[in-house]
Amino acid sequence: MENYFDRAAAGLLSILTLFLTFCTPVQQDELVVYSGRSRSLVEDLVADFEKETGAQVNVRYGNDAELLAVLNEEGDRSSADLYWANTTGALATASDNGLLKTLPDSLLNKPDAYGSSSKEWIPVTVRFRVLAYNPNKVDTTQLPSSVMELPEMTGFEGRVGWTPTYSSFYDFLTTMRVLKGEEATRKWLLKMQQLEPRAYGSNTPMVQAIAAGEIDLALTNHYYVLRLRHGGEEGEFEEEEPYEEKLEERPDANIATYHFKPGDIGNLALVTGATELATSDNSELAQRFLSFLLSRQAQRYAAQQVHEYPVIRGVDVPGYMLEEDRAFQLSPDYDYEQLKNLKETLTMLREAGLI
């Protein structure tokens, strides 16, 4: 039978272990990253960074809303060093909540476009809103020059797809509210409903529906079309969509992208970004990771494997992507941090019965 001294020794050992656990400083070659970007995009880049630096990087994955909730709940107790977000709205919200550090100019000056007005995060990649269509069913000469005119395309009633419960659609509608006003946005939304569009929970099944001939048009992000045709990794964390695996190339798929006139909201640039958190106790390594995300190596990976656009010059994009300078001219100018203003957007969608 275990005697008193054995139990006492075991107890002392447990206390000593707890003391050492809480008193031992965090290793300076370790980073904790909270990522709203999917594992299939992040893990290869993290492995490259670990190989380059000898550091250990631990990643927690989730969508932006989940991660922001966790960071707010953890507060000063959080072990997180970095937040890699899928949307600038989430970064702006984190900034408002006092979760971020101001970054040095040496980092902020690296991107050539899409910078932060708060100086608390860096852009990493860019996606563009597009109108996807089936070229066997749609004559592009009949398509409108502005997404604001899309509800007038009554000939496509019941043949249009959208994702009214998905985050990138929220960003699109929020920017419409900012640039066009509440009334114009509400009118557009209600008139779109008169087309009886088919609602999808996420983008991949929607673009697959175009290729299958189930619908003719859809509002989406450009890289979903490219991923269907050319394969590639998933970049967004799509909670309800089990599409983490690499898709097979379908170069003959009946789907293409249509761009509205330059400066139109239908071509909206949606920026992903990353930042150092106020709870980070290893700024040197955290900022080295941020700098790595802006390296040609990491930017080339995002372009070649995920079909997203780089934010630094001189990075080649695949030949089947729209040339970088032309793509950058398509989007309207706006403050990317305004995407935090989601409350009114969600209210508008609820009033329309869409969420």
Side-chain angles (χ1 to χ4, degrees):
M1 178 180 294
E2 182 183 38
N3 60 38
Y4 170 81
F5 294 103
D6 291 332
R7 293 195 302 272
L12 287 172
L13 180 59
S14 297
I15 293 172
L16 179 60
T17 299
L18 285 171
F19 177 81
L20 291 174
T21 298
F22 285 103
C23 294
T24 301
V26 176
Q27 294 295 315
Q28 291 303 296
D29 59 351
E30 292 182 1
L31 282 177
V32 176
V33 178
Y34 282 14
S35 176
R37 314 254 39 214
S38 74
R39 183 186 300 272
S40 57
L41 167 62
V42 170
E43 61 183 359
D44 286 347
L45 291 175
V46 165
D48 288 343
F49 180 78
E50 289 178 325
K51 183 177 180 180
E52 178 182 300
T53 63
Q56 178 180 338
V57 180
N58 301 309
V59 185
R60 176 172 184 167
Y61 296 96
N63 63 43
D64 282 337
E66 292 170 343
L67 295 177
L68 285 174
V70 171
L71 286 168
N72 284 318
E73 175 66 23
E74 291 176 340
D76 293 340
R77 298 175 291 104
S78 180
S79 61
D81 297 290
L82 295 159
Y83 175 33
W84 189 352
N86 201 44
T87 171
T88 56
L91 292 165
T93 300
S95 176
D96 285 351
N97 292 343
L99 299 176
L100 310 184
K101 290 183 180 180
T102 300
L103 298 177
D105 288 342
S106 57
L107 263 177
L108 295 171
N109 292 336
K110 284 181 179 292
D112 291 298
Y114 307 106
S116 157
S117 60
S118 69
K119 298 186 177 182
E120 290 185 332
W121 52 267
I122 58 165
V124 178
T125 60
V126 186
R127 294 78 54 82
F128 292 95
R129 297 292 290 176
V130 297
L131 184 66
Y133 69 96
N134 185 327
N136 292 338
K137 302 286 187 68
V138 177
D139 179 0
T140 56
T141 63
Q142 298 177 349
L143 293 177
S145 61
S146 173
V147 72
M148 302 302 294
E149 301 166 2
L150 188 61
E152 309 299 330
M153 304 296 293
T154 56
F156 291 100
E157 184 175 326
R159 305 290 296 175
V160 179
W162 63 354
T163 54
T165 62
Y166 195 68
S167 60
S168 57
F169 187 84
Y170 296 166
D171 291 342
F172 162 68
L173 204 65
T174 299
T175 308
M176 186 184 293
R177 287 181 39 249
V178 169
L179 297 182
K180 297 294 185 180
E182 300 287 335
E183 189 56 36
T185 302
R186 185 175 290 104
K187 181 179 179 181
W188 181 87
L189 195 62
L190 295 177
K191 290 187 70 175
M192 276 293 296
Q193 287 182 284
Q194 294 174 12
L195 286 183
E196 299 183 2
R198 298 192 191 185
Y200 294 83
S202 53
N203 291 275
T204 299
M206 183 171 67
V207 296
Q208 289 175 331
I210 291 180
E214 298 168 9
I215 57 176
D216 300 331
L217 301 169
L219 292 167
T220 186
N221 294 344
H222 81 272
Y223 79 95
Y224 285 102
V225 177
L226 297 181
R227 186 168 174 254
L228 180 63
R229 290 177 61 91
H230 303 285
E233 305 295 349
E234 178 59 86
E236 296 189 43
F237 184 93
E238 304 207 29
E239 181 183 25
E240 299 179 359
E241 184 180 351
Y243 289 108
E244 283 289 319
E245 75 278 6
K246 184 172 181 176
L247 294 181
E248 295 298 325
E249 293 185 28
R250 295 176 56 191
D252 298 326
N254 293 321
I255 190 168
T257 57
Y258 174 80
H259 302 284
F260 299 99
K261 64 184 179 182
D264 192 74
I265 295 174
N267 308 324
L268 187 70
L270 297 175
V271 180
T272 74
T275 185
E276 182 182 5
L277 292 161
T279 51
S280 174
D281 58 4
N282 194 354
S283 283
E284 181 178 355
L285 189 59
Q287 291 176 18
R288 187 172 177 182
F289 185 87
L290 294 176
S291 182
F292 172 76
L293 293 181
L294 295 174
S295 68
R296 293 189 185 282
Q297 174 186 353
Q299 294 278 294
R300 186 181 303 113
Y301 178 86
Q304 298 287 337
Q305 299 299 319
V306 193
H307 316 308
E308 296 184 359
Y309 282 90
V311 297
I312 64 172
R313 299 290 182 185
V315 176
D316 291 334
V317 300
Y320 48 77
M321 289 175 66
L322 188 65
E323 193 271 331
E324 184 179 6
D325 286 338
R326 287 183 59 200
F328 286 179
Q329 293 171 3
L330 289 173
S331 176
D333 292 328
Y334 72 103
D335 183 349
Y336 308 109
E337 301 197 23
Q338 289 176 323
L339 294 182
K340 68 183 177 182
N341 299 318
L342 281 178
K343 182 178 179 181
E344 294 83 356
T345 298
L346 297 177
T347 297
M348 189 178 291
L349 288 167
R350 290 190 189 99
E351 290 174 349
L354 291 169
I355 61 174

